[in-house]
Structures are given as structure tokens and as C-alpha cells.
Amino acid sequence: MYAKILVPVDDSRAAEAALDEAIRLARLCGGELRLLHVSPDPPFVPASSVFRDEAQAEASEGARRGSALLARLGEHVGAQGIGVDTVLLETRGCHLHGLVNEQARAWGAELVVLGTHGRRGVERALVGSVAEQVIRHAEVPVLLVRRPEAPQDTGLQSIAAAIA
């Protein structure tokens, strides 16, 4: 049914929940997973700036963290006997939803499994919804997996964190 499942991941509980669901689906369908992580572009800093080295170090650290995340999650999936590969991209000035859908098309994914934070109201207006944009532009089915709710999560902490 779903032989190729694309799973965009970051270091969030929502992505973890999506990966768990994708693993269950892959096991049921005999499918394989591709884990995709997108690192933000390094900030533009003129070559003559005193902050150039710091910006390059920050970009390298972001790529290193993304590679480590993919290695850890890929190992977790592989240990369960499911075929997995990983892809690390930079945003290259593109929207995240465009990169997800481009990767799904290029790899021939039959399903995208994506974690969503379930933001509503003001929080959604301030932060936006990558998941919504992936769905709007996807050429394949998209399964949204909502992050587990934290017992103390009133929503206000999430809004404050999103703005910060």
C-alpha cells in the first residue's frame, strides 16, 4: 500500500509522534522510510563583517545537529527492521513546505507523515502552519500526527516560546 513513506523530522515531540506512526505504517505495509531534516540557511553576513566566522560556525553547528538527529532516528528505525535512509537539506531560501513536497516527488513517496503541533488561534496566526502548506501543495496523501499534549500545557507557554 505505502511502500515509500517520507517523514520530515525535527527535534520535537510532534515529529517523534509522527515517526512512531510512520514506523507502524511501514511495518504493516512492508514499506521503507525516508527521514528528511531541513536546516535553516546560514544568516547572510557580508564578507567584511566581524561576525562572519561566528555565522559560519553557527551554520556548521546547525548542520551537525541535523546530521546527528538523522543518524539517531535512522538507527532507531533500522533497529526495528525497517528500511530507512536520511536526507539533510538547507532551506536555500525556499519554504519548508516546498522542500518537503519536492523531496516527496523526487523520491517517489507514496505518503508523507508529518507531525503537527496543533496550533490554533493567535498562536497559529503568529507562527503559521507548515503542515497546512504541505497539505495544500502535496501531490500524495499526507497523514498529520498531532503531538501529544503536555499536562501543564495551557497554550500560553507555547505562544511565548513561538514568539521568542
Side-chain angles (χ1 to χ4, degrees), residues 115-127:
T116 180
H117 297 279
R119 294 183 176 116
R120 295 182 182 89
V122 173
E123 183 179 18
R124 183 169 175 194
L126 291 172
V127 179

Side-chain angles (χ1 to χ4, degrees), residues 42-159:
F44 172 75
V45 177
S48 61
S49 173
V50 295
F51 299 109
R52 182 171 173 240
D53 291 341
E54 185 178 318
Q56 288 175 336
E58 184 179 318
S60 294
E61 179 61 19
R64 187 199 62 74
R65 282 193 310 266
S67 292
L69 174 69
L70 287 172
R72 179 175 54 83
L73 296 178
E75 188 174 302
H76 171 70
V77 173
Q80 298 188 43
I82 296 168
V84 62
D85 70 347
T86 62
V87 175
L88 176 64
L89 299 175
E90 286 186 352
T91 56
R92 305 181 321 253
C94 298
H95 292 286
L96 184 56
H97 67 85
L99 292 171
V100 170
N101 286 321
E102 177 184 299
Q103 187 62 213
R105 188 173 26 262
W107 185 53
E110 298 169 346
L111 177 70
V112 175
V113 178
L114 182 64
T116 180
H117 297 279
R119 294 183 176 116
R120 295 182 182 89
V122 173
E123 183 179 18
R124 183 169 175 194
L126 291 172
V127 179
S129 174
V130 171
E132 180 181 356
Q133 292 302 313
V134 169
I135 291 169
R136 285 183 186 271
H137 300 280
E139 296 174 7
V140 298
V142 177
L143 173 63
L144 294 183
V145 179
R146 190 153 178 214
R147 72 174 167 89
E149 293 293 328
Q152 72 280 7
D153 187 4
T154 64
L156 296 177
Q157 293 105 350
S158 300
I159 293 170

Side-chain angles (χ1 to χ4, degrees), residues 4-30:
K4 291 184 165 188
I5 304 171
L6 178 67
V7 188
V9 295
D10 59 15
D11 199 13
S12 70
R13 289 178 37 226
E16 183 179 312
L19 180 59
D20 289 344
E21 190 64 28
I23 289 169
R24 282 191 286 276
L25 281 170
R27 194 174 288 129
L28 285 170
C29 298

